[in-house]
Amino acid sequence: MRHLPVLLLLCCAYLLPAQSTIRLADSLSGASRYLASNELLETFLRDNPQRLHDQSKALFLMSYNYLQLGSFKQAETANARSMALRDQLMSGDIAENYMRIGAIALQQGNYEKALDHLFIATSMPVEEPKLYALIYGYIASAFEGLGQPEKALNYYQQSLETLLSATEGSQADVATNHYNIGRVYLGQNKLEMAKASFGQALAISRTVPARKDLQGNQIGRASCRE
């Protein structure tokens, strides 16, 4: 996305339907323009107080933006507001909010808290396989942080298998899982297995434009920045 001035984006928001505004904010987030995305979302929240479902989505995206900016307290607050709305609406999307709590705790190095909330998320009905794959990836990362590579490997593989079984899997996320599995093998000094996993990741990543997450321990992004 070409970098439009924030003021112009905010003006456009007044002319767009609610879903289009959130999609625009999501696109900005995907381009790492987290502050611009949040400014758009703040305007949306202020101008659409009755659209509770859309507000919950906007706040969930806002929590992701704050997490990427390292503003953990603000990420927690936005996620809690989203969660409260979804609880009020009895929305099945609330599993995402438990996942977000886990992701925030993971970034803070609180691996036990992360696992507690991520496992709650897995116990809830989720329609989107990619969300399960994302949660499994976070669980794997938490086990890595706790120094339990076998459990980490198990969940990275579950994440990979879930993506491969999905009707619309993401090649970029598949590559990221192969990369993460390779890192675990490398840490265990299983060099041949690590080399094979890295090779699979590299082969797939060459078919996918610019993936920052192949440079670190992450699972790919999804709509509304899961």
Side-chain angles (χ1 to χ4, degrees):
M1 171 179 289
R2 183 171 295 176
H3 283 203
L4 297 175
V6 172
L7 181 59
L8 178 57
L9 290 168
L10 294 176
C11 290
C12 290
Y14 285 108
L15 305 176
L16 293 172
Q19 291 296 327
S20 297
T21 301
I22 294 174
R23 281 197 295 271
L24 176 57
D26 189 57
S27 296
L28 287 168
S29 181
S32 300
R33 297 188 65 194
Y34 307 118
L35 291 175
S37 177
N38 273 355
E39 287 192 45
L40 197 60
L41 292 168
E42 287 284 8
T43 300
F44 172 81
L45 291 169
R46 185 189 67 231
D47 295 340
N48 297 275
Q50 305 304 317
R51 303 184 68 97
L52 299 186
H53 177 70
D54 290 328
Q55 284 220 353
S56 74
K57 291 176 63 177
L59 286 162
F60 182 70
L61 175 54
M62 188 176 288
S63 73
Y64 173 84
N65 291 335
Y66 280 128
L67 178 58
Q68 297 307 304
L69 291 167
S71 302
F72 300 128
K73 188 63 179 178
Q74 289 170 296
E76 289 172 347
T77 298
N79 187 56
R81 290 173 63 192
S82 171
M83 196 171 186
L85 287 173
R86 287 173 171 178
D87 187 52
Q88 178 183 338
L89 297 169
M90 294 184 287
S91 169
D93 294 334
I94 204 166
E96 292 181 335
N97 299 103
Y98 282 102
M99 179 195 70
R100 178 73 81 238
I101 295 171
I104 294 169
L106 185 62
Q107 289 295 312
Q108 294 175 304
N110 193 339
Y111 304 120
E112 296 288 358
K113 179 180 177 180
L115 287 174
D116 286 344
H117 289 85
L118 292 167
F119 280 125
I120 291 173
T122 63
S123 72
M124 296 180 169
V126 175
E127 293 184 5
E128 177 54 59
K130 189 173 179 180
L131 181 59
Y132 269 127
L134 186 65
I135 295 169
Y136 290 149
Y138 284 140
I139 291 172
S141 187
F143 277 125
E144 271 196 276
L146 290 170
Q148 300 182 44
E150 289 299 332
K151 288 185 178 180
L153 188 59
N154 176 52
Y155 278 98
Y156 279 135
Q157 288 172 335
Q158 285 192 58
S159 179
L160 177 60
E161 289 166 10
T162 302
L163 285 170
L164 291 174
S165 66
T167 306
E168 297 182 1
S170 166
Q171 285 297 94
D173 296 334
V174 169
T176 301
N177 271 280
H178 281 301
Y179 171 77
N180 286 332
I181 289 169
R183 286 189 309 98
V184 177
Y185 281 140
L186 187 62
Q188 295 176 312
N189 206 33
K190 298 178 179 178
L191 301 184
E192 288 302 316
M193 298 175 77
K195 182 179 178 181
S197 292
F198 286 143
Q200 288 175 295
L202 183 60
I204 296 170
S205 67
R206 283 172 174 160
T207 70
V208 182
R211 285 289 297 197
K212 292 182 180 179
D213 59 345
L214 291 178
Q215 300 171 9
N217 180 22
Q218 299 180 34
I219 297 296
R221 296 173 179 170
S223 178
C224 277
R225 305 303 108 194
E226 293 168 344

